[in-house]
Protein backbone atom coordinates (compact mmCIF):
# COMPACT_ATOMS: atom_id res chain seq x y z
CA UNK A 1 0.00 0.00 0.00
CA UNK A 2 2.72 2.51 0.92
CA UNK A 3 4.72 1.82 -2.24
CA UNK A 4 1.65 2.43 -4.38
CA UNK A 5 0.90 5.66 -2.48
CA UNK A 6 4.45 6.89 -2.90
CA UNK A 7 4.44 6.29 -6.66
CA UNK A 8 1.05 8.04 -6.83
CA UNK A 9 2.45 11.07 -4.98
CA UNK A 10 5.39 11.45 -7.37
CA UNK A 11 3.69 10.54 -10.64
CA UNK A 12 0.21 12.03 -10.09
CA UNK A 13 -0.27 14.26 -7.06
CA UNK A 14 2.82 16.49 -7.28
CA UNK A 15 2.17 17.25 -10.98
CA UNK A 16 -1.47 18.09 -10.15
CA UNK A 17 -0.32 20.44 -7.40
CA UNK A 18 2.12 22.09 -9.80
CA UNK A 19 -0.75 22.70 -12.26
CA UNK A 20 -2.89 24.33 -9.58
CA UNK A 21 -0.43 26.53 -7.66
CA UNK A 22 2.71 28.58 -8.06
CA UNK A 23 3.32 28.43 -4.31
CA UNK A 24 6.56 26.75 -3.31
CA UNK A 25 6.11 23.34 -1.71
CA UNK A 26 8.04 20.17 -0.95
CA UNK A 27 6.57 16.74 -0.28
CA UNK A 28 8.70 15.10 2.37
CA UNK A 29 8.27 11.38 3.01
CA UNK A 30 9.60 9.47 5.99
CA UNK A 31 9.71 5.74 6.53
CA UNK A 32 11.97 2.83 5.96
CA UNK A 33 12.15 0.43 3.06
CA UNK A 34 12.40 -3.06 4.52
CA UNK A 35 12.01 -5.34 1.52
CA UNK A 36 14.45 -5.51 -1.36
CA UNK A 37 11.74 -5.36 -4.01
CA UNK A 38 10.91 -1.82 -2.85
CA UNK A 39 14.47 -0.46 -2.94
CA UNK A 40 13.58 1.38 -6.16
CA UNK A 41 11.43 3.73 -4.06
CA UNK A 42 14.60 5.25 -2.60
CA UNK A 43 15.71 6.19 -6.12
CA UNK A 44 12.51 7.90 -7.25
CA UNK A 45 13.18 11.56 -7.93
CA UNK A 46 11.25 14.77 -8.35
CA UNK A 47 12.41 18.34 -7.64
CA UNK A 48 9.56 18.79 -5.13
CA UNK A 49 10.04 15.47 -3.35
CA UNK A 50 12.42 14.48 -0.56
CA UNK A 51 12.69 10.94 0.79
CA UNK A 52 14.07 11.28 4.34
CA UNK A 53 14.04 7.54 5.04
CA UNK A 54 13.75 6.22 8.57
CA UNK A 55 13.81 9.04 11.12
CA UNK A 56 14.35 8.69 14.85
CA UNK A 57 11.80 11.34 15.80
CA UNK A 58 8.88 11.80 13.39
CA UNK A 59 7.44 14.44 15.75
CA UNK A 60 9.98 16.93 14.40
CA UNK A 61 8.64 16.39 10.90
CA UNK A 62 5.02 16.76 11.99
CA UNK A 63 5.89 19.98 13.81
CA UNK A 64 7.60 21.42 10.73
CA UNK A 65 4.83 20.52 8.27
CA UNK A 66 1.84 22.45 6.99
CA UNK A 67 -0.26 19.48 5.97
CA UNK A 68 -0.27 15.67 5.96
CA UNK A 69 -1.27 13.76 2.86
CA UNK A 70 -2.47 10.18 2.94
CA UNK A 71 -3.12 8.89 -0.59
CA UNK A 72 -3.57 5.26 0.46
CA UNK A 73 -6.15 3.20 -1.36
CA UNK A 74 -5.00 -0.24 -0.18
CA UNK A 75 -4.57 -1.74 3.26
CA UNK A 76 -6.81 -1.96 6.27
CA UNK A 77 -7.24 -0.73 9.79
CA UNK A 78 -6.79 2.71 11.32
CA UNK A 79 -3.75 4.49 9.95
CA UNK A 80 -1.72 5.47 13.01
CA UNK A 81 0.29 8.15 11.19
CA UNK A 82 -2.95 9.84 10.10
CA UNK A 83 -4.16 9.99 13.70
CA UNK A 84 -0.73 11.20 14.86
CA UNK A 85 -0.73 13.97 12.22
CA UNK A 86 -4.15 15.10 13.41
CA UNK A 87 -2.94 15.11 17.01
CA UNK A 88 -0.22 17.58 15.94
CA UNK A 89 -2.95 19.85 14.59
CA UNK A 90 -2.13 19.20 10.94
CA UNK A 91 -4.86 19.24 8.35
CA UNK A 92 -4.99 15.78 6.75
CA UNK A 93 -6.03 15.04 3.19
CA UNK A 94 -6.79 11.36 2.68
CA UNK A 95 -8.41 9.08 0.19
CA UNK A 96 -11.47 7.37 1.67
CA UNK A 97 -9.73 3.99 1.97
CA UNK A 98 -6.82 5.58 3.82
CA UNK A 99 -9.10 7.08 6.46
CA UNK A 100 -11.07 3.90 7.12
CA UNK A 101 -11.70 3.43 10.83
CA UNK A 102 -11.28 7.09 11.85
CA UNK A 103 -14.38 8.56 13.48
CA UNK A 104 -15.12 11.65 11.39
CA UNK A 105 -17.27 13.13 14.15
CA UNK A 106 -14.09 13.65 16.17
CA UNK A 107 -12.01 15.34 13.45
CA UNK A 108 -14.13 18.39 12.55
CA UNK A 109 -12.74 19.92 9.35
CA UNK A 110 -9.14 18.80 9.98
CA UNK A 111 -9.63 15.54 8.07
CA UNK A 112 -10.69 15.94 4.46
CA UNK A 113 -11.68 12.75 2.70
CA UNK A 114 -11.42 12.45 -1.07
CA UNK A 115 -12.85 9.71 -3.28
CA UNK A 116 -10.17 7.08 -3.91
CA UNK A 117 -7.80 7.88 -6.81
CA UNK A 118 -9.29 11.32 -7.58
CA UNK A 119 -5.93 13.08 -7.92
CA UNK A 120 -7.45 16.38 -9.07
CA UNK A 121 -9.77 16.67 -6.06
CA UNK A 122 -6.91 15.53 -3.82
CA UNK A 123 -4.63 18.32 -5.09
CA UNK A 124 -7.42 20.90 -4.76
CA UNK A 125 -8.03 19.81 -1.16
CA UNK A 126 -4.33 20.10 -0.35
CA UNK A 127 -4.22 23.66 -1.66
CA UNK A 128 -7.46 24.78 -0.01
CA UNK A 129 -6.46 23.29 3.37
CA UNK A 130 -2.81 24.31 3.32
CA UNK A 131 -3.33 26.78 6.17
CA UNK A 132 -6.30 25.16 7.90
CA UNK A 133 -5.94 26.46 11.47
CA UNK A 134 -9.17 24.93 12.79
CA UNK A 135 -8.85 23.08 16.07
CA UNK A 136 -9.78 19.50 16.73
CA UNK A 137 -12.67 18.99 19.12
CA UNK A 138 -11.86 17.52 22.55
CA UNK A 139 -13.64 14.32 21.48
CA UNK A 140 -10.73 13.52 19.17
CA UNK A 141 -8.27 13.43 22.05
CA UNK A 142 -10.62 11.52 24.32
CA UNK A 143 -11.13 8.93 21.57
CA UNK A 144 -7.56 8.57 20.32
CA UNK A 145 -5.25 9.23 23.28
CA UNK A 146 -3.00 6.28 24.19
CA UNK A 147 -4.10 6.64 27.82
CA UNK A 148 -7.76 6.14 26.91
CA UNK A 149 -7.00 3.33 24.45
CA UNK A 150 -4.69 1.42 26.83
CA UNK A 151 -7.21 1.86 29.65
CA UNK A 152 -9.97 0.33 27.52
CA UNK A 153 -7.71 -2.56 26.50
CA UNK A 154 -6.69 -3.15 30.10
CA UNK A 155 -10.33 -3.20 31.20
CA UNK A 156 -11.25 -5.71 28.48
CA UNK A 157 -8.34 -7.97 29.41
CA UNK A 158 -9.35 -7.93 33.07
CA UNK A 159 -12.87 -8.97 32.06
CA UNK A 160 -11.51 -12.10 30.43
Amino acid sequence: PNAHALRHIIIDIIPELEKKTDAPFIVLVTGRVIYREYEYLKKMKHPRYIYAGFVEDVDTYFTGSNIFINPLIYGGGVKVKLVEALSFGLPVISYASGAHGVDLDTTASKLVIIKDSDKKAFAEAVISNWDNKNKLPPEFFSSYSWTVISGAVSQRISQL
Side-chain angles (χ1 to χ4, degrees):
N2 291 338
H4 179 270
L6 185 54
R7 284 191 310 273
H8 184 53
I9 288 169
I10 295 168
I11 294 167
D12 299 315
I13 293 174
I14 291 175
E16 279 300 318
L17 287 167
E18 289 177 318
K19 288 179 196 174
K20 296 178 183 314
T21 185
D22 292 330
F25 69 89
I26 294 289
V27 175
L28 183 115
V29 174
T30 63
R32 63 179 165 233
V33 174
I34 299 172
Y35 302 106
R36 228 196 237 149
E37 67 260 31
Y38 298 114
E39 283 291 321
Y40 73 92
L41 293 171
K42 293 179 181 178
K43 297 176 184 147
M44 293 186 80
K45 302 279 186 229
H46 191 286
R48 294 186 183 264
Y49 163 75
I50 296 172
Y51 172 67
F54 176 76
V55 297
E56 288 293 327
D57 183 13
V58 75
D59 294 3
T60 302
Y61 293 85
F62 283 139
T63 302
S65 297
N66 293 70
I67 198 162
F68 182 84
I69 62 173
N70 189 44
L72 289 170
I73 58 171
Y74 302 109
V78 173
K79 309 304 181 264
V80 175
K81 290 295 178 226
L82 181 151
V83 173
E84 285 181 314
L86 285 167
S87 74
F88 274 84
L90 291 173
V92 173
I93 311 304
S94 180
Y95 284 140
S97 293
H100 180 75
V102 177
D103 181 359
L104 295 180
D105 291 336
T106 67
T107 63
S109 65
K110 292 301 267 191
L111 174 59
V112 178
I113 297 181
I114 305 298
K115 184 179 123 198
D116 287 353
S117 301
D118 188 344
K119 64 185 180 183
K120 290 181 181 187
F122 196 96
E124 288 169 7
V126 168
I127 292 166
S128 64
N129 284 277
W130 194 270
D131 291 317
N132 179 338
K133 302 291 186 220
N134 294 334
K135 302 282 186 204
L136 285 167
E139 294 81 20
F140 173 83
F141 296 100
S142 63
S143 295
Y144 292 104
S145 81
W146 285 116
T147 304
V148 171
I149 292 168
S150 60
V153 170
S154 176
Q155 184 178 27
R156 288 181 188 153
I157 290 172
S158 68
Q159 291 172 349
L160 296 175

